[in-house]
Amino acid sequence: FWQGLERHNNREWFQAHKDQYERAVRRPMQLLIDELAPLYGPGRLSRINKDMRFQKEKPYKDYLATGLGGSYISFSKEGLWVGTGIYKPEPATLRELREAIADDIAGRELTKVMASMKRKGFEVDTHARLDKPPRGYDATHPRADLLRMKDIYIGKSFGAREVASASLPRGVAKAISELEPFRAWLRHYVGRAARER
């Protein structure tokens, strides 16, 4: 389904393959949500279609997603991805993130969390980064590479074989659990500005 949608991202093709979408994409994701709901509460699937008023070209997303247990789960042709973080934060939240990264205690704590996550097979990355640390931060700062990030996420991918396995819900639940130290770090050091609004 995903490969076909990639080649024919239009309403006519999607309508002709809607049964395949329901059977091979939407239904398995809903079953995963239902199986994990006793642990994390109900999740809600995103819509696959973009707002058609503004998106005439490629009106369908190349993934289906949900939020569970403070984590983001995305299903696409690459497989299933489970992660958490801060995506395109408001300026005040980004400032808090950078202050926490630069701080001696909070920054060291973050690097320990990241090292532990990487050992467990998670990736740590950003959707965009500056060429150099932002104004006010020294290029020689020990975490200058993290200060260049415009947001931050930690996540783990499950490939086709794992997605087709009966053990996938256990693997996803384990990943959500293993992400807790990073979520706790974010809750403690970042987001006060957003919470106070």
Side-chain angles (χ1 to χ4, degrees), residues 1-10 13-14 17 20-29 45-50 59-65 73-81 160 163:
F1 173 82
W2 292 123
Q3 290 169 345
L5 182 65
E6 189 174 38
R7 290 191 300 270
H8 311 283
N9 194 322
N10 58 65
W13 185 91
F14 182 82
H17 294 82
Q20 184 186 18
Y21 161 71
E22 291 289 342
R23 185 181 68 254
V25 177
R26 193 176 188 287
R27 179 83 177 129
M29 271 292 276
L45 279 173
S46 65
R47 296 173 58 142
I48 193 167
N49 57 295
K50 302 172 186 173
Y60 298 95
K61 300 172 191 167
D62 57 0
Y63 64 92
L64 194 63
I73 302 171
S74 175
F75 182 33
S76 69
K77 72 173 187 173
E78 281 79 33
L80 197 80
W81 188 85
V163 168

mmCIF file of all heavy atoms in Angstrom, residues 1-10 13-14 17 20-29 45-50 59-65 73-81 160 163:
data_model
loop_
_atom_site.group_PDB
_atom_site.id
_atom_site.type_symbol
_atom_site.label_atom_id
_atom_site.label_comp_id
_atom_site.label_asym_id
_atom_site.label_seq_id
_atom_site.Cartn_x
_atom_site.Cartn_y
_atom_site.Cartn_z
ATOM 1 N N PHE A 1 0.829 -1.209 0.000
ATOM 2 C CA PHE A 1 0.000 0.000 0.000
ATOM 3 C C PHE A 1 0.864 1.261 0.000
ATOM 4 O O PHE A 1 0.646 2.177 -0.782
ATOM 5 C CB PHE A 1 -0.942 0.023 1.211
ATOM 6 C CG PHE A 1 -1.674 1.331 1.329
ATOM 7 C CD1 PHE A 1 -2.813 1.584 0.589
ATOM 8 C CD2 PHE A 1 -1.193 2.339 2.160
ATOM 9 C CE1 PHE A 1 -3.463 2.813 0.664
ATOM 10 C CE2 PHE A 1 -1.842 3.569 2.250
ATOM 11 C CZ PHE A 1 -2.983 3.803 1.501
ATOM 12 N N TRP A 2 1.866 1.299 0.903
ATOM 13 C CA TRP A 2 2.696 2.509 0.992
ATOM 14 C C TRP A 2 3.448 2.760 -0.302
ATOM 15 O O TRP A 2 3.578 3.913 -0.744
ATOM 16 C CB TRP A 2 3.693 2.392 2.152
ATOM 17 C CG TRP A 2 3.078 2.410 3.514
ATOM 18 C CD1 TRP A 2 3.197 1.453 4.482
ATOM 19 C CD2 TRP A 2 2.259 3.433 4.096
ATOM 20 N NE1 TRP A 2 2.507 1.821 5.611
ATOM 21 C CE2 TRP A 2 1.924 3.025 5.411
ATOM 22 C CE3 TRP A 2 1.779 4.651 3.634
ATOM 23 C CZ2 TRP A 2 1.130 3.789 6.255
ATOM 24 C CZ3 TRP A 2 0.988 5.426 4.481
ATOM 25 C CH2 TRP A 2 0.671 4.995 5.772
ATOM 26 N N GLN A 3 3.969 1.713 -0.914
ATOM 27 C CA GLN A 3 4.704 1.886 -2.170
ATOM 28 C C GLN A 3 3.775 2.396 -3.274
ATOM 29 O O GLN A 3 4.157 3.267 -4.060
ATOM 30 C CB GLN A 3 5.369 0.575 -2.581
ATOM 31 C CG GLN A 3 6.527 0.208 -1.668
ATOM 32 C CD GLN A 3 7.026 -1.204 -1.894
ATOM 33 O OE1 GLN A 3 6.357 -2.022 -2.524
ATOM 34 N NE2 GLN A 3 8.199 -1.495 -1.363
ATOM 35 N N GLY A 4 2.562 1.869 -3.321
ATOM 36 C CA GLY A 4 1.603 2.345 -4.312
ATOM 37 C C GLY A 4 1.221 3.794 -4.085
ATOM 38 O O GLY A 4 1.139 4.585 -5.028
ATOM 39 N N LEU A 5 0.998 4.161 -2.821
ATOM 40 C CA LEU A 5 0.638 5.547 -2.496
ATOM 41 C C LEU A 5 1.773 6.500 -2.865
ATOM 42 O O LEU A 5 1.534 7.615 -3.323
ATOM 43 C CB LEU A 5 0.307 5.664 -1.010
ATOM 44 C CG LEU A 5 -0.126 7.051 -0.520
ATOM 45 C CD1 LEU A 5 -1.448 7.463 -1.167
ATOM 46 C CD2 LEU A 5 -0.266 7.067 0.999
ATOM 47 N N GLU A 6 3.004 6.040 -2.678
ATOM 48 C CA GLU A 6 4.153 6.878 -3.020
ATOM 49 C C GLU A 6 4.158 7.202 -4.515
ATOM 50 O O GLU A 6 4.480 8.311 -4.925
ATOM 51 C CB GLU A 6 5.439 6.140 -2.633
ATOM 52 C CG GLU A 6 6.687 6.980 -2.745
ATOM 53 C CD GLU A 6 7.905 6.247 -2.201
ATOM 54 O OE1 GLU A 6 8.015 5.019 -2.411
ATOM 55 O OE2 GLU A 6 8.743 6.900 -1.573
ATOM 56 N N ARG A 7 3.757 6.227 -5.330
ATOM 57 C CA ARG A 7 3.736 6.438 -6.796
ATOM 58 C C ARG A 7 2.486 7.169 -7.267
ATOM 59 O O ARG A 7 2.513 7.850 -8.278
ATOM 60 C CB ARG A 7 3.834 5.082 -7.520
ATOM 61 C CG ARG A 7 5.185 4.419 -7.393
ATOM 62 C CD ARG A 7 5.316 3.228 -8.335
ATOM 63 N NE ARG A 7 4.315 2.203 -8.078
ATOM 64 C CZ ARG A 7 4.481 1.186 -7.224
ATOM 65 N NH1 ARG A 7 5.599 1.084 -6.536
ATOM 66 N NH2 ARG A 7 3.527 0.304 -7.057
ATOM 67 N N HIS A 8 1.387 6.992 -6.552
ATOM 68 C CA HIS A 8 0.097 7.538 -7.010
ATOM 69 C C HIS A 8 -0.606 8.266 -5.873
ATOM 70 O O HIS A 8 -1.673 7.839 -5.431
ATOM 71 C CB HIS A 8 -0.814 6.413 -7.513
ATOM 72 C CG HIS A 8 -0.166 5.481 -8.475
ATOM 73 N ND1 HIS A 8 0.043 5.799 -9.790
ATOM 74 C CD2 HIS A 8 0.333 4.235 -8.293
ATOM 75 C CE1 HIS A 8 0.635 4.782 -10.397
ATOM 76 N NE2 HIS A 8 0.833 3.822 -9.513
ATOM 77 N N ASN A 9 -0.033 9.340 -5.387
ATOM 78 C CA ASN A 9 -0.624 10.048 -4.251
ATOM 79 C C ASN A 9 -1.716 10.986 -4.761
ATOM 80 O O ASN A 9 -1.529 12.196 -4.914
ATOM 81 C CB ASN A 9 0.455 10.826 -3.485
ATOM 82 C CG ASN A 9 -0.036 11.278 -2.130
ATOM 83 O OD1 ASN A 9 -1.182 11.664 -1.963
ATOM 84 N ND2 ASN A 9 0.847 11.216 -1.141
ATOM 85 N N ASN A 10 -2.900 10.394 -5.023
ATOM 86 C CA ASN A 10 -4.041 11.173 -5.473
ATOM 87 C C ASN A 10 -5.327 10.493 -5.004
ATOM 88 O O ASN A 10 -5.319 9.327 -4.605
ATOM 89 C CB ASN A 10 -4.046 11.345 -7.002
ATOM 90 C CG ASN A 10 -4.054 10.018 -7.722
ATOM 91 O OD1 ASN A 10 -5.014 9.250 -7.619
ATOM 92 N ND2 ASN A 10 -2.987 9.726 -8.449
ATOM 93 N N TRP A 13 -6.558 7.131 -6.876
ATOM 94 C CA TRP A 13 -5.834 5.900 -6.507
ATOM 95 C C TRP A 13 -6.206 5.479 -5.090
ATOM 96 O O TRP A 13 -6.459 4.301 -4.830
ATOM 97 C CB TRP A 13 -4.315 6.120 -6.606
ATOM 98 C CG TRP A 13 -3.558 4.856 -6.345
ATOM 99 C CD1 TRP A 13 -3.165 3.935 -7.264
ATOM 100 C CD2 TRP A 13 -3.135 4.359 -5.063
ATOM 101 N NE1 TRP A 13 -2.520 2.873 -6.641
ATOM 102 C CE2 TRP A 13 -2.491 3.115 -5.298
ATOM 103 C CE3 TRP A 13 -3.226 4.822 -3.762
ATOM 104 C CZ2 TRP A 13 -1.942 2.344 -4.271
ATOM 105 C CZ3 TRP A 13 -2.695 4.057 -2.732
ATOM 106 C CH2 TRP A 13 -2.057 2.825 -2.986
ATOM 107 N N PHE A 14 -6.273 6.441 -4.167
ATOM 108 C CA PHE A 14 -6.573 6.096 -2.784
ATOM 109 C C PHE A 14 -7.960 5.467 -2.664
ATOM 110 O O PHE A 14 -8.136 4.455 -1.978
ATOM 111 C CB PHE A 14 -6.479 7.331 -1.878
ATOM 112 C CG PHE A 14 -6.736 7.006 -0.434
ATOM 113 C CD1 PHE A 14 -5.718 6.493 0.365
ATOM 114 C CD2 PHE A 14 -7.997 7.184 0.130
ATOM 115 C CE1 PHE A 14 -5.949 6.164 1.699
ATOM 116 C CE2 PHE A 14 -8.239 6.854 1.461
ATOM 117 C CZ PHE A 14 -7.210 6.343 2.242
ATOM 118 N N HIS A 17 -8.012 1.960 -3.647
ATOM 119 C CA HIS A 17 -7.247 1.074 -2.764
ATOM 120 C C HIS A 17 -7.607 1.272 -1.282
ATOM 121 O O HIS A 17 -6.844 0.878 -0.408
ATOM 122 C CB HIS A 17 -5.739 1.305 -2.974
ATOM 123 C CG HIS A 17 -5.283 0.905 -4.333
ATOM 124 N ND1 HIS A 17 -5.424 1.723 -5.421
ATOM 125 C CD2 HIS A 17 -4.721 -0.252 -4.777
ATOM 126 C CE1 HIS A 17 -4.954 1.106 -6.494
ATOM 127 N NE2 HIS A 17 -4.530 -0.090 -6.133
ATOM 128 N N GLN A 20 -7.610 -1.857 0.841
ATOM 129 C CA GLN A 20 -6.251 -2.286 1.182
ATOM 130 C C GLN A 20 -5.698 -1.431 2.328
ATOM 131 O O GLN A 20 -5.065 -1.948 3.248
ATOM 132 C CB GLN A 20 -5.340 -2.174 -0.041
ATOM 133 C CG GLN A 20 -3.935 -2.685 0.221
ATOM 134 C CD GLN A 20 -2.997 -2.437 -0.953
ATOM 135 O OE1 GLN A 20 -3.271 -1.607 -1.818
ATOM 136 N NE2 GLN A 20 -1.889 -3.141 -0.971
ATOM 137 N N TYR A 21 -5.946 -0.127 2.276
ATOM 138 C CA TYR A 21 -5.518 0.772 3.360
ATOM 139 C C TYR A 21 -6.141 0.351 4.686
ATOM 140 O O TYR A 21 -5.449 0.239 5.703
ATOM 141 C CB TYR A 21 -5.904 2.217 3.019
ATOM 142 C CG TYR A 21 -5.919 3.135 4.212
ATOM 143 C CD1 TYR A 21 -4.735 3.522 4.833
ATOM 144 C CD2 TYR A 21 -7.126 3.612 4.733
ATOM 145 C CE1 TYR A 21 -4.748 4.364 5.941
ATOM 146 C CE2 TYR A 21 -7.141 4.446 5.836
ATOM 147 C CZ TYR A 21 -5.962 4.812 6.442
ATOM 148 O OH TYR A 21 -5.971 5.629 7.542
ATOM 149 N N GLU A 22 -7.451 0.103 4.674
ATOM 150 C CA GLU A 22 -8.146 -0.284 5.908
ATOM 151 C C GLU A 22 -7.599 -1.596 6.460
ATOM 152 O O GLU A 22 -7.368 -1.727 7.660
ATOM 153 C CB GLU A 22 -9.658 -0.417 5.644
ATOM 154 C CG GLU A 22 -10.359 0.902 5.365
ATOM 155 C CD GLU A 22 -10.489 1.795 6.593
ATOM 156 O OE1 GLU A 22 -10.355 1.289 7.722
ATOM 157 O OE2 GLU A 22 -10.716 3.003 6.415
ATOM 158 N N ARG A 23 -7.377 -2.571 5.571
ATOM 159 C CA ARG A 23 -6.952 -3.913 5.981
ATOM 160 C C ARG A 23 -5.476 -3.968 6.383
ATOM 161 O O ARG A 23 -5.119 -4.599 7.375
ATOM 162 C CB ARG A 23 -7.221 -4.896 4.824
ATOM 163 C CG ARG A 23 -6.953 -6.340 5.126
ATOM 164 C CD ARG A 23 -7.232 -7.227 3.920
ATOM 165 N NE ARG A 23 -6.293 -6.993 2.841
ATOM 166 C CZ ARG A 23 -6.567 -6.340 1.706
ATOM 167 N NH1 ARG A 23 -7.785 -5.859 1.497
ATOM 168 N NH2 ARG A 23 -5.654 -6.175 0.777
ATOM 169 N N ALA A 24 -4.604 -3.296 5.624
ATOM 170 C CA ALA A 24 -3.159 -3.462 5.802
ATOM 171 C C ALA A 24 -2.495 -2.356 6.616
ATOM 172 O O ALA A 24 -1.365 -2.535 7.072
ATOM 173 C CB ALA A 24 -2.480 -3.539 4.427
ATOM 174 N N VAL A 25 -3.193 -1.241 6.819
ATOM 175 C CA VAL A 25 -2.580 -0.106 7.525
ATOM 176 C C VAL A 25 -3.408 0.320 8.742
ATOM 177 O O VAL A 25 -2.947 0.220 9.882
ATOM 178 C CB VAL A 25 -2.377 1.099 6.574
ATOM 179 C CG1 VAL A 25 -1.810 2.299 7.314
ATOM 180 C CG2 VAL A 25 -1.465 0.714 5.413
ATOM 181 N N ARG A 26 -4.618 0.765 8.474
ATOM 182 C CA ARG A 26 -5.415 1.337 9.572
ATOM 183 C C ARG A 26 -5.812 0.286 10.611
ATOM 184 O O ARG A 26 -5.680 0.521 11.812
ATOM 185 C CB ARG A 26 -6.660 2.020 9.012
ATOM 186 C CG ARG A 26 -7.352 2.883 10.035
ATOM 187 C CD ARG A 26 -8.538 3.643 9.454
ATOM 188 N NE ARG A 26 -9.041 4.587 10.410
ATOM 189 C CZ ARG A 26 -9.722 4.279 11.497
ATOM 190 N NH1 ARG A 26 -9.985 3.028 11.785
ATOM 191 N NH2 ARG A 26 -10.145 5.215 12.329
ATOM 192 N N ARG A 27 -6.311 -0.859 10.160
ATOM 193 C CA ARG A 27 -6.760 -1.894 11.102
ATOM 194 C C ARG A 27 -5.612 -2.414 11.970
ATOM 195 O O ARG A 27 -5.771 -2.505 13.198
ATOM 196 C CB ARG A 27 -7.415 -3.039 10.316
ATOM 197 C CG ARG A 27 -7.893 -4.182 11.174
ATOM 198 C CD ARG A 27 -9.261 -3.909 11.758
ATOM 199 N NE ARG A 27 -9.706 -5.068 12.524
ATOM 200 C CZ ARG A 27 -10.156 -5.005 13.762
ATOM 201 N NH1 ARG A 27 -10.223 -3.850 14.385
ATOM 202 N NH2 ARG A 27 -10.551 -6.078 14.392
ATOM 203 N N PRO A 28 -4.438 -2.759 11.408
ATOM 204 C CA PRO A 28 -3.337 -3.203 12.287
ATOM 205 C C PRO A 28 -2.917 -2.150 13.314
ATOM 206 O O PRO A 28 -2.619 -2.486 14.453
ATOM 207 C CB PRO A 28 -2.199 -3.503 11.302
ATOM 208 C CG PRO A 28 -2.876 -3.787 10.015
ATOM 209 C CD PRO A 28 -4.096 -2.921 9.995
ATOM 210 N N MET A 29 -2.904 -0.880 12.909
ATOM 211 C CA MET A 29 -2.546 0.178 13.869
ATOM 212 C C MET A 29 -3.587 0.277 14.976
ATOM 213 O O MET A 29 -3.250 0.445 16.150
ATOM 214 C CB MET A 29 -2.403 1.524 13.155
ATOM 215 C CG MET A 29 -1.019 1.784 12.625
ATOM 216 S SD MET A 29 0.216 2.029 13.944
ATOM 217 C CE MET A 29 -0.014 3.764 14.309
ATOM 218 N N LEU A 45 -5.909 7.502 16.315
ATOM 219 C CA LEU A 45 -5.152 7.507 15.070
ATOM 220 C C LEU A 45 -5.240 8.869 14.386
ATOM 221 O O LEU A 45 -6.292 9.504 14.384
ATOM 222 C CB LEU A 45 -5.700 6.446 14.110
ATOM 223 C CG LEU A 45 -5.239 5.027 14.343
ATOM 224 C CD1 LEU A 45 -6.001 4.074 13.432
ATOM 225 C CD2 LEU A 45 -3.754 4.898 14.113
ATOM 226 N N SER A 46 -4.135 9.277 13.787
ATOM 227 C CA SER A 46 -4.159 10.487 12.962
ATOM 228 C C SER A 46 -4.918 10.171 11.674
ATOM 229 O O SER A 46 -5.164 9.014 11.354
ATOM 230 C CB SER A 46 -2.734 10.916 12.632
ATOM 231 O OG SER A 46 -2.099 9.932 11.817
ATOM 232 N N ARG A 47 -5.256 11.191 10.960
ATOM 233 C CA ARG A 47 -5.883 10.993 9.644
ATOM 234 C C ARG A 47 -4.776 10.836 8.613
ATOM 235 O O ARG A 47 -3.730 11.481 8.725
ATOM 236 C CB ARG A 47 -6.744 12.194 9.302
ATOM 237 C CG ARG A 47 -7.907 12.371 10.260
ATOM 238 C CD ARG A 47 -8.616 13.663 9.973
ATOM 239 N NE ARG A 47 -9.087 13.674 8.607
ATOM 240 C CZ ARG A 47 -10.233 14.194 8.210
ATOM 241 N NH1 ARG A 47 -11.013 14.779 9.073
ATOM 242 N NH2 ARG A 47 -10.595 14.173 6.948
ATOM 243 N N ILE A 48 -5.017 10.028 7.602
ATOM 244 C CA ILE A 48 -4.006 9.860 6.561
ATOM 245 C C ILE A 48 -4.073 10.999 5.545
ATOM 246 O O ILE A 48 -3.068 11.338 4.919
ATOM 247 C CB ILE A 48 -4.121 8.487 5.856
ATOM 248 C CG1 ILE A 48 -2.864 8.238 5.019
ATOM 249 C CG2 ILE A 48 -5.405 8.393 5.034
ATOM 250 C CD1 ILE A 48 -2.697 6.834 4.529
ATOM 251 N N ASN A 49 -5.246 11.611 5.407
ATOM 252 C CA ASN A 49 -5.353 12.690 4.424
ATOM 253 C C ASN A 49 -4.992 14.029 5.050
ATOM 254 O O ASN A 49 -5.273 14.292 6.212
ATOM 255 C CB ASN A 49 -6.755 12.746 3.819
ATOM 256 C CG ASN A 49 -7.840 12.924 4.853
ATOM 257 O OD1 ASN A 49 -8.053 12.056 5.687
ATOM 258 N ND2 ASN A 49 -8.516 14.056 4.806
ATOM 259 N N LYS A 50 -4.337 14.853 4.253
ATOM 260 C CA LYS A 50 -4.026 16.215 4.662
ATOM 261 C C LYS A 50 -5.270 17.065 4.418
ATOM 262 O O LYS A 50 -6.253 16.583 3.845
ATOM 263 C CB LYS A 50 -2.842 16.742 3.838
ATOM 264 C CG LYS A 50 -1.587 15.881 3.981
ATOM 265 C CD LYS A 50 -0.516 16.333 3.013
ATOM 266 C CE LYS A 50 0.683 15.404 3.039
ATOM 267 N NZ LYS A 50 1.665 15.713 1.999
ATOM 268 N N PRO A 59 -2.076 14.701 -1.591
ATOM 269 C CA PRO A 59 -3.013 14.975 -0.496
ATOM 270 C C PRO A 59 -2.988 13.972 0.661
ATOM 271 O O PRO A 59 -3.650 14.197 1.675
ATOM 272 C CB PRO A 59 -4.375 14.940 -1.193
ATOM 273 C CG PRO A 59 -4.174 14.038 -2.361
ATOM 274 C CD PRO A 59 -2.765 14.258 -2.801
ATOM 275 N N TYR A 60 -2.203 12.880 0.520
ATOM 276 C CA TYR A 60 -2.173 11.875 1.587
ATOM 277 C C TYR A 60 -0.789 11.793 2.228
ATOM 278 O O TYR A 60 0.232 11.883 1.545
ATOM 279 C CB TYR A 60 -2.581 10.497 1.040
ATOM 280 C CG TYR A 60 -3.992 10.507 0.513
ATOM 281 C CD1 TYR A 60 -4.240 10.725 -0.836
ATOM 282 C CD2 TYR A 60 -5.078 10.351 1.380
ATOM 283 C CE1 TYR A 60 -5.541 10.776 -1.319
ATOM 284 C CE2 TYR A 60 -6.377 10.403 0.903
ATOM 285 C CZ TYR A 60 -6.606 10.615 -0.445
ATOM 286 O OH TYR A 60 -7.895 10.682 -0.913
ATOM 287 N N LYS A 61 -0.781 11.602 3.549
ATOM 288 C CA LYS A 61 0.483 11.449 4.275
ATOM 289 C C LYS A 61 1.073 10.077 3.964
ATOM 290 O O LYS A 61 0.343 9.140 3.650
ATOM 291 C CB LYS A 61 0.248 11.564 5.780
ATOM 292 C CG LYS A 61 -0.349 12.875 6.219
ATOM 293 C CD LYS A 61 -0.722 12.807 7.692
ATOM 294 C CE LYS A 61 -1.563 14.000 8.102
ATOM 295 N NZ LYS A 61 -2.178 13.807 9.425
ATOM 296 N N ASP A 62 2.387 9.973 4.119
ATOM 297 C CA ASP A 62 3.042 8.682 3.882
ATOM 298 C C ASP A 62 3.274 7.935 5.195
ATOM 299 O O ASP A 62 4.195 7.142 5.313
ATOM 300 C CB ASP A 62 4.349 8.869 3.107
ATOM 301 C CG ASP A 62 5.319 9.794 3.808
ATOM 302 O OD1 ASP A 62 4.981 10.311 4.908
ATOM 303 O OD2 ASP A 62 6.420 10.006 3.281
ATOM 304 N N TYR A 63 2.402 8.187 6.172
ATOM 305 C CA TYR A 63 2.482 7.508 7.464
ATOM 306 C C TYR A 63 1.129 7.615 8.160
ATOM 307 O O TYR A 63 0.279 8.437 7.791
ATOM 308 C CB TYR A 63 3.559 8.141 8.356
ATOM 309 C CG TYR A 63 3.242 9.571 8.727
ATOM 310 C CD1 TYR A 63 2.541 9.873 9.899
ATOM 311 C CD2 TYR A 63 3.611 10.628 7.892
ATOM 312 C CE1 TYR A 63 2.228 11.178 10.222
ATOM 313 C CE2 TYR A 63 3.294 11.937 8.218
ATOM 314 C CZ TYR A 63 2.603 12.202 9.377
ATOM 315 O OH TYR A 63 2.282 13.499 9.695
ATOM 316 N N LEU A 64 0.946 6.789 9.183
ATOM 317 C CA LEU A 64 -0.212 6.869 10.062
ATOM 318 C C LEU A 64 0.345 6.875 11.479
ATOM 319 O O LEU A 64 1.249 6.101 11.782
ATOM 320 C CB LEU A 64 -1.126 5.657 9.835
ATOM 321 C CG LEU A 64 -2.534 5.739 10.413
ATOM 322 C CD1 LEU A 64 -3.316 6.881 9.759
ATOM 323 C CD2 LEU A 64 -3.278 4.425 10.188
ATOM 324 N N ALA A 65 -0.185 7.736 12.350
ATOM 325 C CA ALA A 65 0.445 7.902 13.665
ATOM 326 C C ALA A 65 -0.575 7.951 14.794
ATOM 327 O O ALA A 65 -1.765 8.181 14.578
ATOM 328 C CB ALA A 65 1.280 9.183 13.675
ATOM 329 N N ILE A 73 3.934 7.114 17.935
ATOM 330 C CA ILE A 73 4.114 5.884 17.169
ATOM 331 C C ILE A 73 3.693 6.159 15.743
ATOM 332 O O ILE A 73 2.578 6.623 15.489
ATOM 333 C CB ILE A 73 3.270 4.737 17.769
ATOM 334 C CG1 ILE A 73 3.649 4.499 19.228
ATOM 335 C CG2 ILE A 73 3.442 3.461 16.942
ATOM 336 C CD1 ILE A 73 2.730 3.552 19.960
ATOM 337 N N SER A 74 4.577 5.881 14.802
ATOM 338 C CA SER A 74 4.323 6.163 13.398
ATOM 339 C C SER A 74 4.549 4.904 12.559
ATOM 340 O O SER A 74 5.547 4.208 12.719
ATOM 341 C CB SER A 74 5.273 7.273 12.931
ATOM 342 O OG SER A 74 5.146 7.488 11.549
ATOM 343 N N PHE A 75 3.606 4.610 11.663
ATOM 344 C CA PHE A 75 3.656 3.444 10.786
ATOM 345 C C PHE A 75 3.786 3.937 9.350
ATOM 346 O O PHE A 75 2.967 4.718 8.879
ATOM 347 C CB PHE A 75 2.378 2.620 10.980
ATOM 348 C CG PHE A 75 2.317 1.355 10.179
ATOM 349 C CD1 PHE A 75 3.441 0.609 9.885
ATOM 350 C CD2 PHE A 75 1.095 0.885 9.739
ATOM 351 C CE1 PHE A 75 3.366 -0.571 9.158
ATOM 352 C CE2 PHE A 75 0.998 -0.295 9.011
ATOM 353 C CZ PHE A 75 2.135 -1.024 8.722
ATOM 354 N N SER A 76 4.837 3.477 8.641
ATOM 355 C CA SER A 76 5.082 3.909 7.268
ATOM 356 C C SER A 76 5.732 2.766 6.494
ATOM 357 O O SER A 76 5.872 1.665 7.020
ATOM 358 C CB SER A 76 6.011 5.127 7.263
ATOM 359 O OG SER A 76 7.316 4.742 7.690
ATOM 360 N N LYS A 77 6.164 3.034 5.285
ATOM 361 C CA LYS A 77 6.800 1.965 4.495
ATOM 362 C C LYS A 77 8.118 1.512 5.117
ATOM 363 O O LYS A 77 8.572 0.407 4.877
ATOM 364 C CB LYS A 77 7.012 2.398 3.051
ATOM 365 C CG LYS A 77 8.105 3.414 2.848
ATOM 366 C CD LYS A 77 8.352 3.653 1.384
ATOM 367 C CE LYS A 77 9.581 4.541 1.209
ATOM 368 N NZ LYS A 77 9.974 4.672 -0.169
ATOM 369 N N GLU A 78 8.730 2.353 5.957
ATOM 370 C CA GLU A 78 9.970 1.973 6.642
ATOM 371 C C GLU A 78 9.710 1.004 7.795
ATOM 372 O O GLU A 78 10.613 0.350 8.264
ATOM 373 C CB GLU A 78 10.702 3.207 7.181
ATOM 374 C CG GLU A 78 11.505 3.979 6.138
ATOM 375 C CD GLU A 78 10.629 4.878 5.288
ATOM 376 O OE1 GLU A 78 9.621 5.402 5.802
ATOM 377 O OE2 GLU A 78 10.933 5.033 4.099
ATOM 378 N N GLY A 79 8.479 0.947 8.281
ATOM 379 C CA GLY A 79 8.133 0.106 9.424
ATOM 380 C C GLY A 79 7.448 0.935 10.490
ATOM 381 O O GLY A 79 6.728 1.888 10.182
ATOM 382 N N LEU A 80 7.685 0.585 11.738
ATOM 383 C CA LEU A 80 7.051 1.284 12.858
ATOM 384 C C LEU A 80 8.134 2.026 13.639
ATOM 385 O O LEU A 80 9.201 1.469 13.891
ATOM 386 C CB LEU A 80 6.350 0.271 13.768
ATOM 387 C CG LEU A 80 5.326 0.841 14.732
ATOM 388 C CD1 LEU A 80 4.000 1.089 13.996
ATOM 389 C CD2 LEU A 80 5.075 -0.129 15.877
ATOM 390 N N TRP A 81 7.855 3.270 14.013
ATOM 391 C CA TRP A 81 8.813 4.069 14.776
ATOM 392 C C TRP A 81 8.142 4.495 16.072
ATOM 393 O O TRP A 81 6.995 4.946 16.086
ATOM 394 C CB TRP A 81 9.229 5.304 13.986
ATOM 395 C CG TRP A 81 10.347 6.086 14.595
ATOM 396 C CD1 TRP A 81 11.683 5.863 14.446
ATOM 397 C CD2 TRP A 81 10.237 7.239 15.450
ATOM 398 N NE1 TRP A 81 12.404 6.799 15.156
ATOM 399 C CE2 TRP A 81 11.545 7.647 15.787
ATOM 400 C CE3 TRP A 81 9.153 7.948 15.971
ATOM 401 C CZ2 TRP A 81 11.800 8.741 16.605
ATOM 402 C CZ3 TRP A 81 9.404 9.035 16.792
ATOM 403 C CH2 TRP A 81 10.716 9.424 17.094
ATOM 404 N N ALA A 160 10.271 -4.449 9.019
ATOM 405 C CA ALA A 160 9.155 -5.235 8.487
ATOM 406 C C ALA A 160 8.965 -6.558 9.226
ATOM 407 O O ALA A 160 7.836 -6.936 9.557
ATOM 408 C CB ALA A 160 9.366 -5.483 7.000
ATOM 409 N N VAL A 163 7.494 -5.822 12.627
ATOM 410 C CA VAL A 163 6.120 -5.326 12.509
ATOM 411 C C VAL A 163 5.154 -6.488 12.279
ATOM 412 O O VAL A 163 4.027 -6.479 12.777
ATOM 413 C CB VAL A 163 6.006 -4.275 11.375
ATOM 414 C CG1 VAL A 163 4.565 -3.965 11.037
ATOM 415 C CG2 VAL A 163 6.736 -2.994 11.773
#
